[in-house]
Amino acid sequence: MSITMDTTLASLVTNKRRVSALKSLGIVTVGDALTYYPFRVTEPVPLRAIREAAPGQQMAFAAVIRDMRVVPMNARRGYRLEATVDDADFARSRRVPGSTARLTFFSYRKSYVDWVSMRLRAGTSVVVSGMPSEYMGQLQFTHPEILTVAPGSAGAGAGLEGYARGAASGNGAFAGSTDPYASVQSAYPPAAAASSGAALKYDADTVQEALTRVCRPRPVYHASSRISSEHIHETILGLLWMMGVRTSSTPDGQLAGAGSAGIVAPTTDTIAVQNGEEKSGTTAESGAEALSQSIPDVLPESVRKAKNLMHRAEAFLAIHDPASTARFKEAIETLRYEEAFVSQTSLLKARSHAHKSAAHSCPLVTDSLRDQFIASLPFSLTAGQQQVIHDIAADLAHDWPMQRLLQGEVGSGKTVVALAAMLQAVDAGYQAVLVAPTQVLAEQHAETIGRMVEQLKPAIPVTLLTGGMKLAARRKALAAASSGEPGIIVATHAAFSKTFQAPHLALVVIDEQHRFGVEQRESLNAKTDDGTTPHLLVMTATPIPRTAAMTWFGDLDISWLTELPGGRKPIRTVVVNEADAATMGRMFAHIRARVDAGERAYIVCPRIDADDEGNEGGSGVSAAAGSARGRAAASGSSARTAAGGRATRAAADAIGIDDPYETFDENGETVARPPLHAVAEIADRLQKLPQFQGIRFATLTGRDKDDVKTQVMADFAGGETPILVSTTVIEVGVDVKRASCIVIFDADRYGLSQLHQLRGRVGRGGTNSWAFLVSRAEPGSPAEQRLEVIHHSLDGAEIAQADLEFRGAGDVLGDAQSGGKSSLKLLRVVKDADMIADARTRAEQLLAADPELADEVQLAGAVLDFTRGNETFLTSS
């Protein structure tokens, strides 16, 4: 069986529970497993004799079992197994006197105790790794890792002189290979272990080999309640064995201190393919050499050598079976540069492709509709708006398609800029489409634009097209678009349907582009009959640090709107501890006073229903943010982000929280946190408070039908239901002028950029406004520190920068936002800016010599995968 990066784990791993647990982490194929990077690697375990032990400090030593006994625990169910070990030979190699220590194991399972008893019989040579403690005046190791050593020429002192020299300081670099099952053999009997009286299966042939295994660094992975980091590591090493890896290679290709030790064949109860049947003839090969046959390098050889980077296969091996922490870091840097190079090559190719396409030229005309519109505005444009409108006008005059990103703070006037561009296209005799992510926002845009252009001459038709329209109205809108008559079309996802045709389409404006996939956006290119590509203007209120934007939007020209129009007052942000009942009461009283003054208030909760337990925590919450972890894994990316499992669409709808900050213990296990608040729960609680007696509430979630959403927003804007309890469905584009207060529950669980977006829903009518961030974060915790950033800053770019730094390395483009698997897991846009710039320069040189990557087949494939996997070019939602 030939194993590649695309081979599914289900066809290789016989343990179906493990397959399911890995799938929940987004690990479905061999490639997913190898790119599920550990978030840290343990330091090498120092060698120490028992007399050198320090309580609480990890150590490893070789010894002989002197005696062993099993004691029933009468006061409680279960058994205690105690074994006394003597390290005389090992201590002699370290030039210290020998001593004894106690190994202690507890278990309710008699079968486990019997198995440990069989392994720890008197006279057995063992290697022990664990944390010493003191009990009743004697040194004790509780549940240490134990490797048994085969008897014979390799006794307890065999081959230890070299270790005495190499580890004289109590530490050392052990570059041998590790047994993928060594870490779990102390907890589970191997399938090949013989019953009592039969021949035993020993863990190592020599003490030297066993010491190498327990002392070398070990990767630690983000895990879950369903699968531990150790089992993830075990599975990945089993996959490496199946791909032909038998030994780990150090930089010089030699094994240090491990003799012929290598990766041991996994047992058949875990892995389906055995005995090298898929890789006949590879058993003698070194690890990287064997792996390179299944994993070709992506980076061009010239680039790899110039940067002194590892081969891709070598890097995977050094990450998942590291010989040293330095080797691990070197491998991470190799794959980080690979991500930078692939992403920059992809962006450069996209930009080059766009410039080769034809587009309708839309030059400005005398007494243009655009100029009429600007003159009719009841306010003056900011200097930033004037400059962006000028830049777009120059782009539209070209006969190749404009590709421009317009980034602006909430309320900075992006809609006015977009409308000016659309009027320029209409003036040239063409159609323009504005695509909004929700029906509510599309209807608001259509109403606003219709009002703004009603005085222009000649009249400009504004057509609304949404998926929630009645059939007759929808047919009428489709007919208007297909007529080709110059005008403006405001649409939702309906613009991407096969029934939508706009034969004279010259400009597409995407509002909040992270809500749409690249395939959807590209489908609009096929809406013209003459084979031209429409000009593209994508807008976002999501703040992106300038360095990040310059890095990732290499295929777009970028414009920033940083000034807010006159009349906007800064939003006052207050962090409220949910346990502080007095402050919570004052907050609700303040909201009631604002409502009595004719204003509106949003209450935001991350979940729809209190009983959405299947969608909460662990993979559910982080999935809406993406694993980052995959990240992020996260990491960092950090995002980590991510880094958890990927949610279903239902889960994403049920939990609107962008939670890239899922916390993990030192073993990569997710840390349990309080359940998230739900819309139904909070609406019910608030309506019972005395502060809200006589006030009507409304609720709004992603599950509501479009017509219900429209009615709810109309009642809220009109004041019939002045308090709206909702999920983050209001995050983008909702524009209610009289909304002055927003309360965000579980604020410590959101991304900073998402909090900034939500805060921008208030204060849009020039009134004083407040944002209350209700938190359950512990004092002094990182979550509390994040909220302080929002508390003290209204600068979106500054907040986005802090967001990236808090998330750490993470997936810049974002798993959850793209709706697919991201190609980026290690690259950090802030810290790796120099690396990205270098990769871009080298990618430009490569493409100049080989535009189609004809000589770099693997790179071309990686670029294609990157384009398909990353459907959005935004750092966060």
Side-chain angles (χ1 to χ4, degrees):
M1 176 181 179
S2 179
I3 299 175
T4 69
M5 297 284 278
D6 295 323
T7 303
T8 62
L9 295 190
S11 65
L12 302 175
V13 179
T14 55
N15 186 329
K16 299 309 175 188
R17 277 191 180 178
R18 184 170 296 187
V19 171
S20 176
L22 291 169
K23 185 176 181 180
S24 71
L25 296 176
I27 304 173
V28 177
T29 66
V30 171
D32 294 334
L34 295 184
T35 56
Y36 192 79
Y37 302 118
F39 68 93
R40 70 180 177 93
V41 64
T42 63
E43 290 296 324
V45 177
L47 290 175
R48 290 176 185 162
I50 292 175
R51 283 189 181 274
E52 299 172 305
Q57 295 183 17
Q58 192 85 7
M59 61 177 283
F61 62 95
V64 175
I65 304 293
R66 290 304 179 211
D67 60 68
M68 182 270 298
R69 64 174 183 156
V70 176
V71 182
M73 294 186 290
N74 295 325
R76 299 180 294 169
R77 285 193 309 112
Y79 305 87
R80 181 179 76 252
L81 184 150
E82 295 179 349
T84 303
V85 294
D86 183 344
D87 75 338
D89 289 339
F90 178 76
R92 189 180 307 115
S93 72
R94 295 184 60 80
R95 298 177 176 83
V96 296
S99 188
T100 60
R102 182 193 297 123
L103 312 181
T104 306
F105 301 85
F106 300 92
S107 180
Y108 294 114
R109 293 165 45 213
K110 184 66 164 58
S111 60
Y112 169 76
V113 173
D114 290 342
W115 175 70
V116 176
S117 301
M118 180 179 64
R119 301 182 75 224
L120 302 186
R121 291 182 299 189
T124 302
S125 295
V126 295
V127 165
V128 180
S129 175
M131 192 86 72
S133 61
E134 190 174 335
Y135 179 69
M136 298 183 66
Q138 185 175 5
L139 200 68
Q140 173 175 281
F141 292 82
T142 304
H143 283 274
E145 179 181 351
I146 301 289
L147 295 185
T148 57
V149 181
S153 60
L160 295 177
E161 290 75 12
Y163 275 92
R165 293 191 299 271
S169 63
N171 211 335
F174 303 96
S177 179
T178 194
D179 181 346
Y181 299 92
S183 59
V184 294
Q185 281 172 337
S186 61
Y188 303 98
S195 59
S196 181
L200 286 174
K201 177 181 174 67
Y202 293 94
D203 300 321
D205 293 330
T206 66
V207 171
Q208 191 176 18
E209 174 190 337
L211 285 170
T212 297
R213 292 180 183 174
V214 300
C215 289
R216 66 183 295 141
R218 293 192 182 175
V220 183
Y221 302 83
H222 284 307
S224 70
S225 59
R226 299 179 61 187
I227 186 168
S228 67
S229 172
E230 289 291 355
H231 284 165
I232 294 171
H233 188 214
E234 171 189 323
T235 302
I236 293 174
L237 288 182
L239 295 172
L240 290 172
W241 185 92
M242 286 190 294
M243 298 177 82
V245 178
R246 300 296 181 267
T247 60
S248 296
S249 59
T250 55
D252 59 2
Q254 302 298 317
L255 292 174
S260 59
I263 293 181
V264 177
T267 56
T268 52
D269 63 343
T270 304
I271 297 293
V273 184
Q274 275 291 305
N275 299 325
E277 52 189 83
E278 84 298 341
K279 278 278 183 184
S280 59
T282 63
T283 55
E285 293 180 308
S286 71
E289 289 174 345
L291 200 58
S292 63
Q293 297 184 20
S294 301
I295 306 174
D297 212 347
V298 168
L299 288 175
E301 185 70 10
S302 59
V303 173
R304 187 170 70 82
K305 288 184 176 179
K307 297 294 294 180
N308 194 27
L309 302 173
M310 296 180 178
H311 188 284
R312 192 175 198 224
E314 186 182 9
F316 280 138
L317 191 55
I319 285 173
H320 296 296
D321 188 27
S324 65
T325 52
R327 191 72 172 155
F328 174 85
K329 292 174 182 176
E330 184 182 348
I332 289 291
E333 285 301 296
T334 290
L335 294 179
R336 185 171 284 152
Y337 190 89
E338 178 188 288
E339 289 184 356
F341 195 86
V342 170
S343 62
Q344 294 308 301
T345 304
S346 178
L347 293 171
L348 290 168
K349 279 184 66 66
R351 188 178 184 88
S352 173
H353 178 74
H355 282 184
K356 293 178 182 177
S357 303
H360 292 298
S361 175
C362 303
L364 274 176
V365 297
T366 305
D367 192 26
S368 66
L369 290 170
R370 190 203 74 169
D371 293 342
Q372 290 183 45
F373 161 65
I374 293 173
S376 69
L377 291 172
F379 53 83
S380 298
L381 296 179
T382 65
Q385 286 175 312
Q386 294 177 24
Q387 182 61 51
V388 174
I389 288 174
H390 174 76
D391 293 341
I392 292 174
D395 288 347
L396 292 176
H398 294 146
D399 58 2
W400 64 82
M402 170 183 73
Q403 289 191 294
R404 183 171 290 275
L405 168 70
L406 175 57
Q407 175 182 315
E409 287 283 355
V410 172
S412 60
K414 295 186 299 297
T415 303
V416 170
V417 172
L419 181 50
M422 289 190 286
L423 289 174
Q424 184 172 338
V426 172
D427 227 356
Y430 300 109
Q431 296 170 292
V433 173
L434 170 63
V435 187
T438 66
Q439 176 165 329
V440 170
L441 185 53
E443 290 172 344
Q444 288 185 356
H445 276 317
E447 180 183 354
T448 301
I449 291 172
R451 195 167 57 246
M452 286 180 163
V453 303
E454 62 184 358
Q455 303 299 325
L456 301 183
K457 301 296 181 183
I460 308 298
V462 178
T463 304
L464 175 65
L465 175 63
T466 71
M469 297 173 71
K470 291 184 178 180
L471 183 58
R474 181 179 172 83
R475 284 177 174 171
K476 183 177 180 181
L478 289 171
S482 62
S483 71
E485 179 187 0
I488 295 172
I489 303 161
V490 182
T492 57
H493 290 73
F496 306 122
S497 68
K498 293 182 179 179
T499 56
F500 175 73
Q501 297 295 327
H504 294 156
L505 183 60
L507 173 64
V508 175
V509 180
I510 304 287
D511 192 14
E512 294 304 332
Q513 73 147 353
H514 61 290
R515 301 302 173 110
F516 303 102
V518 70
E519 292 178 1
Q520 289 177 313
R521 295 198 299 269
E522 288 182 351
S523 72
L524 288 172
N525 291 343
K527 303 302 181 183
T528 57
D529 291 338
D530 51 15
T532 58
T533 299
H535 298 282
L536 177 65
L537 174 65
V538 291
M539 305 191 299
T540 179
T542 301
I544 308 166
R546 184 172 292 263
T547 54
M550 295 298 289
T551 296
W552 294 118
F553 295 85
D555 60 333
L556 300 175
D557 296 306
I558 309 170
S559 297
W560 278 271
L561 288 178
T562 56
E563 304 170 69
L564 293 182
R568 292 293 297 269
K569 297 181 180 179
I571 302 168
R572 304 174 192 178
T573 304
V574 183
V575 179
V576 181
N577 188 325
E578 189 172 341
D580 186 348
T583 303
M584 292 285 286
R586 290 197 301 273
M587 175 184 73
F588 291 135
H590 173 80
I591 292 172
R592 175 59 189 261
R594 304 320 306 165
V595 168
D596 289 343
E599 296 169 8
R600 316 282 183 265
Y602 297 104
I603 312 288
V604 179
C605 305
R607 289 168 63 194
I608 296 177
D609 299 318
D611 58 355
D612 284 329
E613 293 300 330
N615 296 331
E616 189 241 319
S619 63
V621 173
S622 65
S627 141
R629 202 164 57 201
R631 332 108 52 221
S635 197
S637 189
S638 72
R640 264 157 21 300
T641 256
R646 292 176 173 82
T648 61
R649 175 53 53 193
D653 288 343
I655 302 179
I657 192 169
D658 169 17
D659 182 12
Y661 307 112
E662 193 173 5
T663 53
F664 307 91
D665 62 21
E666 63 179 8
N667 294 319
E669 302 282 350
T670 53
V671 175
R673 294 186 288 182
L676 299 166
H677 289 299
V679 168
E681 163 214 351
I682 292 297
D684 182 63
R685 281 171 50 186
L686 295 186
Q687 290 179 85
K688 295 176 181 177
L689 293 178
Q691 292 96 325
F692 296 123
Q693 290 300 308
I695 298 293
R696 290 186 60 194
F697 282 66
T699 62
L700 183 68
T701 74
R703 289 181 187 165
D704 294 330
K705 294 182 179 179
D706 286 337
D707 56 342
V708 173
K709 291 179 183 177
T710 301
Q711 187 60 50
V712 167
M713 289 306 301
D715 292 344
F716 176 64
E720 294 182 36
T721 51
I723 297 180
L724 177 64
V725 185
S726 77
T727 58
T728 55
V729 70
I730 66 157
E731 176 187 349
V732 174
V734 172
D735 188 5
V736 177
K737 302 297 184 187
R738 299 194 66 81
S740 64
C741 296
I742 185 168
V743 178
I744 305 172
F745 279 91
D746 295 305
D748 53 303
R749 306 279 288 276
Y750 289 79
L752 298 186
S753 294
Q754 191 176 28
L755 288 174
H756 184 61
Q757 280 275 62
L758 288 166
R759 177 170 61 180
R761 295 309 103 205
V762 298
R764 304 174 72 85
T767 60
N768 290 322
S769 55
W770 293 263
F772 298 97
L773 310 181
V774 180
S775 164
R776 287 180 280 187
E778 295 292 330
S781 66
E784 185 181 63
Q785 295 171 23
R786 291 195 300 270
L787 291 182
E788 284 303 303
V789 174
I790 289 286
H791 180 203
H792 294 293
S793 178
L794 292 171
D795 185 330
E798 178 184 333
I799 291 168
Q801 180 84 15
D803 205 4
L804 280 174
E805 291 171 357
F806 274 120
R807 294 183 190 221
D811 178 357
V812 176
L813 303 188
D815 272 354
Q817 288 77 30
S818 71
K821 292 180 290 185
S822 171
S823 303
L824 293 179
K825 298 184 178 181
L826 298 173
L827 202 59
R828 305 160 303 186
V829 292
V830 178
K831 294 182 180 180
D832 297 328
D834 291 342
M835 176 187 289
I836 293 165
D838 180 89
R840 189 176 185 86
T841 300
R842 295 180 187 275
E844 286 173 343
Q845 295 170 353
L846 177 67
L847 290 172
D850 185 6
E852 300 303 321
L853 299 178
D855 296 330
E856 301 293 343
V857 177
Q858 297 301 328
L859 176 60
V863 167
L864 184 61
D865 289 342
F866 178 88
T867 304
R868 289 173 174 170
N870 297 286
E871 296 184 344
T872 175
F873 291 87
L874 287 181
T875 53
S876 62
S877 67

